[in-house]
Amino acid sequence: MIKKFVSGTPFNTEAVTDFYSYENNSLASLPYFNFTTEKDKLILEYRMAENDAVYGLGEANRGINKRGGRYVSFCTDDPSHTEEKVSLYGAHNFIIVRSSKTFGLFIDCPSEVVFDIGYERYDILSISCVSDVAIFLITGNGLYDIARQFRQAIGTSYIPPRWAFGYQQCRWSYMSAAEIRDVVFNHRKHNIPLDAVYMDIDYMDGYKDFTVNDATFPDFTAFVNEMSSMDIHLVPIIDAGVKIEKDYETYEEGVANDYFCKNENGEDFTATVWPGLTHFPDFLNPSAREWFGNKYQFLIDKGIDGFWNDMNEPALFHTPEGILEAHERACALADLDPDPASSEYMDCFYKFKDLSSRLNNRMEDYARIYHNINGQTVNHLKVHNLYGYNMTRAAGEAFERICPDKRLLLFSRSSYIGMHRYGGIWTGDNMSWWSHILLSMKMMPSLNMCGFLYTGSDIGGFGCNCSRQLLLRWLGFGIFTPLMRNHAALGTRVQEVYRFENIHEFKNVIDIRYALLPYLYSEFVKAALKDEMYFRPLAFDYPDDEIANRIEDQLMVGEGLMIAPVYTENTVRRYVYLPEDMLYIRFKGFAQRTCEILKKGDHCIEVGYDEIPVFVKKNHMLLLTKPALSSNALDYYKYTAYVYRDPETSVTYELYNDDGYTSRLSLKDNISPISVDESGKLIAASGYEVEV
Ligand code: MIG
């Protein structure tokens, strides 16, 4: 059951699809919590028992169980995800508290929200935000049911085309068509499957959105076709900021129609990002959103069928006002008597140093931005967390107009709950650190709770230099994430798999993704259409198992699998806890696989660098197809089935399959049952060929 509690006049973020159809209960009647209001601020407090756990918060730092930390929902472009960071790119204010009561809570608030989950005091969960807020309280039959009810309330998750489940290669930046051809050639040469190559900001002319550099990408349409004939999709980036340049169409139209955000003087707000001085489309203004969305047609007309939206927190490098302040401070410093003993001098020096090193993403600058929301002028700080959401919504809504029959790939860096209906997200600028494999694993189930199913991290790590073993192990987890993309930053060591020795080991790992692809796609689409989680903490499947409840480095995937990736260097074994007897399949490439039944309890398994352990739950089925070099070349009708069942028990798997593009997804029409009956006989729906 979902109940809405309201304080003041909440802003409808459109996260909850039927926001107005819920009865407005007064905050005073909110159960479980004590609340206090100070000026325009609201603080909610819940007393936690010793063993209570808190799940959720989507793209957030730290654990699957969020207890013990402090988290601030304020979409932030911070490329250093160290342990003490409290804000990342998304704002996903949904938690489930597992306690004697067990309930879900969604703080629907587009400005900053602070969650202190037992950090100040281990027994106190405290949430603070502005006092104009809608709060949704969800009760139900356990963790999984509460998550599902919440997902029903926020609308069906975005489903990408099937090719987006293939392996994808990115780098900031492949500078030319020739360089991209080379990347594709090398993957094909070494028989590494590949479905997409990304185009980072340098494909544009002067970092101007909706332009292509003719010198480095001559005859772009022909290039897109050439790639597509090899089953390679090109995925260009779109940045939020629009370059200020006379006669640049997007700029001129934005200015002429007042589609850009304003500053306190009513002028178009200006800050620098990659193109230099830019304006920022007012994605919260419905007409601006429609206009910007339509712009994607420029690339769709050239054959492009996938996009990633970046810099939409929005990231600001600096503003002219910020520079001016730093300049004034520098002048003041120069005017002071540089007596090293003078505290005034040193104070001024440190203020200057701080100012110049923190010119980016300053609160003072965000505070200068104004939106036009249905005729009302709204300060940015009130709605900050909705900017990236509405940029991606602009694109998603436009795609429904431009190509209603076909799904396109779309994902974003910044997001708020609600955006999950229009696109996926990737988890931003991580590093080539072992700890970031684990961090990304922990984010996955929390993101799924909040509706973000199509997601993954930059495999191999974005910042820093990647090593061969790190990449192999990261891929070993990445073969289960819907978005499986290798990406690295400018200036870092090249990390395409063919740059390293023993390339066949990379093939061994990536081949497993392709063998699993039809199954994972089926699991994904079913999860999306049924508002279920594709990734789950063990606690969701085994709520009464105290050991399972505390596991932070294993995940449930789809209805029938459990995974236990390796995330530490130079290790070839790992401990795994089995919450029940399971079928353990050990892959070393597609051809070499062994399986054995392991009993409930602790196990230590051998996991060679290119090996993948998969665990199948009892009375479930796993289907494998033969790997191929692209998702398009896979056989979606021929499988090898792995079934682990109780004697005399029949097992049925409902396989979802479609043409990979259609936007008319139907569970009714696209499910084919594949069963093993009591006697062990296999019965597959017609058209399918399956062996056990
Ligand atoms: O300020 O476009 O997160 O994936 O490669 C860096 C360049 C801008 C940040 C994105 C990253 C992308 C990079 N972008």
Side-chain angles (χ1 to χ4, degrees):
M1 192 171 70
I2 305 189
K3 265 183 106 170
K4 180 184 181 194
F5 298 86
V6 165
S7 150
T9 324
F11 185 90
N12 179 8
T13 62
E14 296 177 67
V16 171
T17 46
D18 293 324
F19 185 80
Y20 293 114
S21 70
Y22 293 85
E23 184 192 339
N24 287 340
N25 295 288
S26 105
L27 198 61
S29 62
L30 177 70
Y32 315 147
F33 286 84
N34 286 328
F35 74 94
T36 49
T37 38
E38 276 169 29
K39 282 202 224 144
D40 54 353
K41 212 168 148 205
L42 173 73
I43 300 171
L44 298 172
E45 269 189 14
Y46 175 80
R47 169 74 53 120
M48 293 185 286
E50 181 63 24
N51 286 324
D52 288 2
V54 178
Y55 301 98
L57 294 185
E59 184 184 20
N61 216 339
R62 305 173 73 105
I64 290 179
N65 178 354
K66 291 280 177 286
R67 187 141 180 202
R70 193 171 162 272
Y71 310 85
V72 179
S73 290
F74 189 84
C75 299
T76 303
D77 169 25
D78 179 341
S80 178
H81 311 163
T82 43
E83 269 183 42
E84 81 285 7
K85 293 296 165 64
V86 292
S87 301
L88 297 171
Y89 310 88
H92 308 139
N93 304 327
F94 174 57
I95 54 172
I96 299 182
V97 179
R98 178 165 62 84
S99 69
S100 57
K101 303 169 188 89
T102 299
F103 59 88
L105 196 74
F106 174 45
I107 309 290
D108 193 7
C109 172
S111 55
E112 182 182 279
V113 182
V114 180
F115 291 84
D116 182 316
I117 307 184
Y119 169 74
E120 276 296 320
R121 278 188 56 148
Y122 195 67
D123 60 343
I124 302 285
L125 160 64
S126 133
I127 303 168
S128 60
C129 60
V130 291
S131 53
D132 286 321
V133 64
I135 295 174
F136 293 84
L137 181 84
I138 303 144
T139 48
N141 183 20
L143 300 167
Y144 199 37
D145 176 54
I146 290 170
R148 190 188 302 115
Q149 287 188 55
F150 177 61
R151 292 271 306 283
Q152 270 158 7
I154 59 176
T156 307
S157 297
Y158 161 79
I159 301 173
R162 189 175 60 202
W163 62 263
F165 289 78
Y167 179 54
Q168 314 187 39
Q169 182 61 52
C170 188
R171 183 168 180 86
W172 174 21
S173 292
Y174 295 126
M175 299 301 286
S176 63
E179 208 177 318
I180 290 180
R181 270 190 199 102
D182 189 58
V183 170
V184 173
F185 170 81
N186 276 295
H187 281 85
R188 292 286 183 255
K189 179 175 143 197
H190 296 286
N191 291 314
I192 305 285
L194 184 70
D195 269 79
V197 180
Y198 282 70
M199 299 168 61
D200 208 319
I201 49 175
D202 294 285
Y203 80 86
M204 294 184 242
D205 170 20
Y207 303 137
K208 294 195 291 267
D209 281 339
F210 315 116
T211 67
V212 174
N213 184 327
D214 291 331
T216 47
F217 289 89
D219 201 350
F220 188 60
T221 307
F223 179 55
V224 177
N225 286 333
E226 174 194 332
M227 287 296 116
S228 143
S229 72
M230 291 188 286
D231 287 346
I232 298 293
H233 298 257
L234 292 172
V235 186
I237 196 170
I238 304 292
D239 276 7
V242 170
K243 184 177 175 67
I244 299 179
E245 185 183 281
K246 204 173 165 331
D247 296 333
Y248 162 41
E249 188 188 86
T250 309
Y251 162 76
E252 294 288 357
E253 289 173 6
V255 171
N257 295 293
D258 275 332
Y259 288 150
F260 293 128
C261 295
K262 301 290 181 188
N263 66 16
E264 66 277 23
N265 303 320
E267 301 148 349
D268 292 331
F269 173 81
T270 301
T272 60
V273 210
W274 294 113
L277 291 171
T278 55
H279 291 327
F280 294 81
D282 189 353
F283 298 118
L284 284 94
N285 168 352
S287 340
R289 201 156 61 221
E290 187 179 335
W291 160 72
F292 195 84
N294 288 341
K295 290 270 148 198
Y296 286 74
Q297 180 143 20
F298 169 76
L299 288 156
I300 294 172
D301 285 347
K302 296 184 171 357
I304 291 296
D305 55 3
F307 297 90
W308 51 313
N309 286 343
D310 192 18
M311 307 300 273
N312 49 10
E313 293 70 30
L316 310 176
F317 288 172
H318 72 261
T319 56
E321 291 83 352
I323 292 285
L324 214 61
E325 270 173 55
H327 175 77
E328 276 162 18
R329 184 71 65 181
C331 292
L333 187 65
D335 286 346
L336 282 171
D337 174 15
D339 170 6
S342 132
S343 63
E344 196 193 1
Y345 181 79
M346 287 321 287
D347 184 54
C348 194
F349 169 75
Y350 279 110
K351 283 201 175 116
F352 164 69
K353 190 167 161 271
D354 267 17
L355 204 64
S356 57
S357 65
R358 283 198 281 108
L359 282 171
N360 60 323
N361 308 330
R362 293 192 320 155
M363 278 302 173
E364 298 91 313
D365 290 327
Y366 286 130
R368 288 201 188 103
I369 305 178
Y370 289 86
H371 299 275
N372 167 2
I373 305 178
N374 302 319
Q376 275 197 316
T377 303
V378 179
N379 183 261
H380 179 74
L381 287 183
K382 289 200 168 151
V383 289
H384 173 77
N385 290 339
L386 300 181
Y387 193 75
Y389 163 14
N390 282 284
M391 176 185 184
T392 300
R393 177 178 176 185
E397 286 176 342
F399 298 168
E400 283 165 27
R401 295 191 295 270
I402 298 168
C403 38
D405 299 328
K406 191 174 149 187
R407 278 174 276 151
L408 300 192
L409 171 61
L410 176 63
F411 60 92
S412 174
R413 194 170 69 178
S414 186
S415 59
Y416 183 84
I417 293 173
M419 203 214 84
H420 70 285
R421 299 191 295 268
Y422 304 99
I425 59 168
W426 92 102
T427 59
D429 299 347
N430 57 11
M431 300 276 186
S432 300
W433 294 342
W434 287 90
S435 60
H436 277 183
I437 301 181
L438 186 57
L439 178 61
S440 92
M441 274 173 63
K442 290 175 178 184
M443 283 181 186
M444 293 298 133
S446 316
L447 282 166
N448 280 201
M449 282 172 66
C450 298
F452 295 93
L453 295 194
Y454 189 74
T455 176
S457 59
D458 286 349
I459 293 174
F462 177 73
C464 303
N465 296 324
C466 180
S467 70
R468 178 178 184 279
Q469 197 191 111
L470 177 72
L471 182 57
L472 256 181
R473 289 303 196 191
W474 208 316
L475 287 165
F477 167 56
I479 61 174
F480 298 100
T481 58
L483 166 64
M484 183 192 182
R485 183 180 76 151
N486 176 334
H487 182 32
L490 193 71
T492 60
R493 179 181 185 185
V494 286
Q495 70 185 40
E496 296 80 14
V497 297
Y498 57 80
R499 308 281 188 174
F500 299 93
E501 69 271 21
N502 297 332
I503 300 170
H504 69 274
E505 292 198 344
F506 289 99
K507 178 174 170 59
N508 281 348
V509 173
I510 299 172
D511 270 357
I512 303 307
R513 164 64 162 223
Y514 280 74
L516 289 169
L517 197 147
Y519 179 81
L520 296 181
Y521 179 67
S522 163
E523 287 300 288
F524 180 97
V525 176
K526 285 193 292 178
L529 295 180
K530 294 180 184 170
D531 298 314
E532 288 183 354
M533 291 164 67
Y534 167 93
F535 280 121
R536 292 175 309 282
L538 269 57
F540 280 50
D541 285 40
Y542 305 95
D544 301 325
D545 181 331
E546 279 310 316
I547 302 171
N549 275 327
R550 299 246 174 215
I551 294 218
E552 291 273 336
D553 61 354
Q554 298 172 207
L555 293 174
M556 307 308 300
V557 181
E559 63 187 47
L561 305 185
M562 184 182 81
I563 58 169
V566 173
Y567 53 88
T568 32
E569 194 165 16
N570 298 326
T571 314
V572 285
R573 312 175 84 196
R574 75 153 280 178
Y575 285 94
V576 186
Y577 173 70
L578 267 60
E580 60 175 317
D581 297 357
M582 289 182 172
L583 178 70
Y584 161 44
I585 310 177
R586 179 176 175 182
F587 290 94
K588 187 181 175 68
F590 176 68
Q592 227 179 305
R593 44 185 201 260
T594 56
C595 60
E596 113 188 61
I597 291 162
L598 293 185
K599 293 269 167 228
K600 174 180 163 126
D602 291 317
H603 295 270
C604 183
I605 57 168
E606 301 273 331
V607 190
Y609 296 133
D610 62 341
E611 290 185 339
I612 307 293
V614 175
F615 301 87
V616 186
K617 284 170 90 163
K618 195 185 258 186
N619 298 325
H620 282 83
M621 189 186 298
L622 170 66
L623 296 176
L624 300 178
T625 191
K626 199 164 158 276
L629 290 185
S630 70
S631 62
N632 191 35
L634 292 172
D635 189 338
Y636 291 89
Y637 290 90
K638 202 169 168 187
Y639 298 101
T640 303
Y642 280 85
V643 196
Y644 167 41
R645 59 190 185 95
D646 285 317
E648 318 283 310
T649 307
S650 68
V651 174
T652 299
Y653 181 67
E654 301 203 311
L655 179 69
Y656 176 90
N657 195 358
D658 64 17
D659 62 8
Y661 286 100
T662 179
S663 40
R664 278 174 295 276
L665 299 124
S666 146
L667 282 180
K668 205 165 94 289
D669 303 337
N670 294 327
I671 293 269
S672 307
I674 294 176
S675 316
V676 171
D677 72 7
E678 290 84 348
S679 68
K681 203 172 125 234
L682 199 124
I683 308 151
S686 86
Y688 287 88
E689 201 182 308
V690 185
E691 56 170 37
V692 193

